[in-house]
Every structure is written in C-alpha cells, then in structure tokens.
Amino acid sequence: MVMMIGENELDEHIRKPIQKSEAKKVLAHISDWSESESDQWKTRANALQVKLDDGDPIAIAEVYKTLSRRMADDKLSAADRRQLSQAEERLTEELSMAVGQPAGKISKRLEQAAGV
C-alpha cells in the first residue's frame, strides 16, 4: 500500500515500530488479559474496530485475545473473523520486526499466548 502524507504531518500519522522489550510486553498482555467484550455482535464489532483503528499494539492484542477465545468456543461472526484476521496480521508484522523472527514463528507465539 502506498500512502501520501505531508512531511509536516508525519508525527501525527506515523509511529516507529515497537522494540523487542515492548514486543515481550504485548505477548505477556495477551496471556494475562482476561476481560471480555459484549456478546452482542454489533456492539462488540464496533468496540473492537476502535481498538484496531487506534493502532496501539496492546489494544490490537486485546482484539486478538478476545476473538481467539470466541474462535475456540466456535462463536465467531463474519465481522469477528475479519477483525481477528486483521489483528493477527498487524500483530504478526509488528512483532516479527521487533523480535527479528519470521511471521510463522510469531503466529505460533501469538497462539500460545492466547491459549488456543
């Protein structure tokens, strides 16, 4: 994807990738986080989309954990599947760069952290 951003707007729209220590915190957060989202699909989808749009790796980790648990219980809607895929893709890319491991290994680490 190519995006055009004015040089004076870079700080508002672009952030540096997380460091290895932050990546470890994200994985730990996935393991430890136990809150749940609404059972109503539309309310849940809206709340999770806000977290995905935020771009914060911790918030995206919460989306991943929430939807991974729902997947394990076989309770994913179409919107849930799409958001889970987005969360997994974003976390895999971010953590792969941070820890210097291939995406396949990171995917396995995400699954282990989520307990699925």
Side-chain angles (χ1 to χ4, degrees):
M1 171 168 55
V2 174
M3 227 168 110
M4 301 281 292
I5 299 175
E7 190 174 341
N8 58 340
E9 297 175 356
L10 284 175
D11 290 339
E12 294 175 33
H13 299 287
I14 306 292
R15 68 169 175 77
K16 293 185 187 245
I18 61 174
Q19 299 296 314
K20 190 172 186 173
S21 61
E22 292 174 274
K24 290 179 182 180
K25 289 178 187 176
V26 170
L27 289 167
H29 186 70
I30 293 171
S31 295
D32 298 340
W33 196 75
S34 62
E35 294 179 33
S36 63
E37 297 289 342
S38 173
D39 282 333
Q40 294 181 341
W41 75 268
K42 191 167 187 169
T43 303
R44 180 180 61 254
N46 289 338
L48 295 178
Q49 191 62 50
V50 167
K51 290 181 179 185
L52 284 170
D53 291 344
D54 179 63
D56 175 41
I58 293 291
I60 296 171
E62 292 172 1
V63 172
Y64 179 80
K65 176 79 178 254
T66 297
L67 296 177
S68 292
R69 278 190 279 171
R70 291 189 68 80
M71 182 179 67
D73 294 337
D74 200 28
K75 295 182 179 180
L76 287 182
S77 69
D80 289 336
R81 283 190 295 277
R82 192 170 42 257
Q83 289 177 326
L84 177 59
S85 177
Q86 290 173 355
E88 183 175 16
E89 182 180 319
R90 291 176 190 182
L91 284 174
T92 299
E93 288 176 5
E94 183 98 30
L95 297 176
S96 180
M97 276 197 299
V99 299
Q101 292 183 346
K105 274 192 170 189
I106 295 299
S107 290
K108 287 183 175 143
R109 289 181 74 178
L110 288 172
E111 289 173 6
Q112 290 172 339
V116 294

